[in-house]
Amino acid sequence: MAEQVQPVSNGMGSHAMWGYSPGFSLLDYLPIDAKKKAETNILLIGPADLRHLFETLPMMAQHAGKLNVYIWEDTLECVVRHMILFKIATDQSASVEARFQTFLETFGNIEVHKKTSTTIQAIAQRIYKEISKDSEHVAPFFDLSLLKFKERDHVEEILSFLRKGKTLDVKLFWTNRTRHYLGSRYDAMENIVDWDYHMHMKYYAPIIHKLHYKRWRVKGIVVERQGKCTEPNCTLASFIEARHRKRGPVQVHGFWSDIVVSPYISFGVHTTEIKFYERAQNQYKKHSVDICEHNLKKLFGSIAPCNMVETIDGDVIEVLNEEKTECKVDPASAEPRTLEKSSSSGKIDCKNEFQNRKTSNNPNRSEQVNVRFLTGELKKMVLKKSRYEKLFDLVFVSQAHAHDCMSKDLNHVASEGSVVIAETVKYLPVKLQQKKLYVEKLRQLGRESEWKSIDEMNIKAMERFSFPMPGEDRGHAPADESKSEKGKRTKEEMESHPECMFPFVFFKVNS
């Protein structure tokens, strides 16, 4: 008897460490009345990364009031990972190029370079010291006050583990997950990956290169620059509950995240620059890694600008007053040292210059933005809490937790006229009909919760998160009988359009 194929949900794992939809500015979908408030409150349920926050921060200059973002995650390892990745992104002592390369490795690789591993340990050490002094706040605007004391202790334990740089056999973790998911098909893994790419990935993200997707599925490596990655990425490790046949319930440490979708979706599929979708000989000239670097460079440059450029020798060149000066950075402290200038003026205090420019280029957003972390049982700790009654003007729900909160329980915390954004399964490797059924199920849950579906925003989001595709690619549009056979769509594509292309489904809470 043939072995049953595992569902996609098993391959996605228990703990999401990256998102399954592109990022957007939270301010774009705020109700008009909420934009006029002195304080705006937003709830993100299981976003798995900070892509929406990164897109929102550059737009805060257009928002007059204060923004309170509540992020609920089902695991504290993901909370710690959020803080570490944000510290990497906003470290102005490093060039933007160095930051997005370190960020991409930490974000999606199971193994990283030695330099990246040292950076993770240094940042974990820095956050650990901050929490030791103040257990409720982490610079620049992270708030841990809503976590229980035992949860804060667990955060310290995670940071202590990361700052010590303990060795993990992440290759074994990845292999075990893959073997369990594929079963007896493991020996034919390359063929299965090739099938998944051409039958699923090409439908919704053809910009992701086949070789990159195959490398990630086989080795767990998203980007690999300047040599081979050899150090384990401990930020991806987490605990799950299991049962030992002799000892009973136990906590198992390992990699329990996605092994089928890929981390490219969050930052590497969509961009406003049309040049990234140019084609030659029916092939894209660019790929998802190029889009990741472009998007992150643009975001990091807006959030924490820096004029420092890293040389091949590992030194950092910083431009001050239109003159090139050399400044070496200590990776452990991530702060510039005193530098020498070739002019007759002698030495310059690079640290003071750095701090002055840091203040002028990166205004203090802690007064305008506050990010508060939540965890625990979703309904008990969030949806039914009296302190959150009618508080949130915008709610984002990831596809992994829609079944838990897409109900009337959400009406308790959503204010009147607020917007609920439900993530779909557009970017998951499932059939087109299943994607349409999922959208219909979300609409059904919205009707049962007495919400109004905003069809106009659904279409606009579909148009926004799409990109030029040639006629021979599967665009999920109904077939035009006047076109050649090559341009016609299958019956499945015709029946599934346009719901299968919705990245999000929008609702308005009436009461």
Side-chain angles (χ1 to χ4, degrees), residues 63-104:
H63 187 69
K66 184 175 181 179
L67 186 67
N68 298 320
V69 181
Y70 294 74
I71 300 179
W72 179 89
E73 296 289 359
D74 58 355
T75 174
L76 289 171
E77 284 85 357
C78 195
V79 171
V80 173
R81 183 173 152 87
H82 289 342
M83 293 188 288
I84 290 177
L85 287 172
F86 190 86
K87 293 278 190 180
I88 293 174
T90 57
D91 183 10
Q92 288 184 289
S93 65
S95 65
V96 175
E97 288 78 5
R99 274 186 270 164
F100 71 65
Q101 289 181 8
T102 304
F103 182 93
L104 280 176

Side-chain angles (χ1 to χ4, degrees), residues 228-389:
K228 190 176 181 181
C229 298
T230 57
E231 301 296 320
N233 184 2
C234 297
T235 64
L236 291 173
S238 61
F239 286 91
I240 64 167
E241 294 182 357
R243 178 172 290 276
H244 193 274
R245 55 185 177 183
K246 292 183 178 180
R247 291 179 288 174
V250 293
Q251 294 281 332
V252 183
H253 197 211
F255 177 80
W256 307 112
S257 188
D258 167 44
I259 60 171
V260 295
V261 181
S262 85
Y264 296 111
I265 306 299
S266 295
F267 300 102
V269 175
H270 296 287
T271 179
T272 55
E273 297 289 338
I274 197 68
K275 65 180 180 181
F276 286 95
Y277 303 117
E278 294 178 356
R279 296 170 63 95
Q281 300 296 324
N282 205 27
Q283 297 291 330
Y284 286 105
K285 294 181 180 180
K286 303 290 185 179
H287 45 71
S288 55
V289 176
D290 295 323
I291 296 180
C292 279
E293 293 179 351
H294 169 76
N295 289 337
L296 292 177
K297 184 176 181 179
K298 184 177 179 181
L299 289 173
F300 296 173
S302 301
I303 297 172
C306 184
N307 296 328
M308 306 176 83
V309 180
E310 189 171 358
T311 65
I312 300 177
D313 298 330
D315 296 337
V316 175
I317 304 301
E318 183 177 8
V319 179
L320 294 177
N321 299 327
E322 300 182 353
E323 293 181 353
K324 291 186 177 180
T325 57
E326 187 173 298
C327 177
K328 292 187 177 181
V329 177
D330 183 3
S333 62
E335 294 209 1
R337 299 173 184 171
T338 304
L339 60 93
E340 282 194 11
K341 196 175 173 185
S342 58
S343 64
S344 59
S345 58
K347 293 186 177 182
I348 298 177
D349 188 356
C350 176
K351 186 171 183 178
N352 291 338
E353 291 287 345
F354 169 77
Q355 292 295 342
N356 292 337
R357 182 146 50 86
K358 181 178 178 180
T359 304
S360 60
N361 289 345
N362 188 28
N364 185 14
R365 292 192 178 92
S366 60
E367 298 179 357
Q368 194 179 8
V369 180
N370 188 20
V371 178
R372 297 172 178 173
F373 290 117
L374 303 168
T375 191
E377 187 179 348
L378 181 57
K379 288 188 176 182
K380 180 180 178 181
M381 302 305 300
V382 181
L383 301 184
K384 294 184 179 181
K385 278 278 187 178
S386 58
R387 69 182 301 168
Y388 306 126
E389 183 176 358

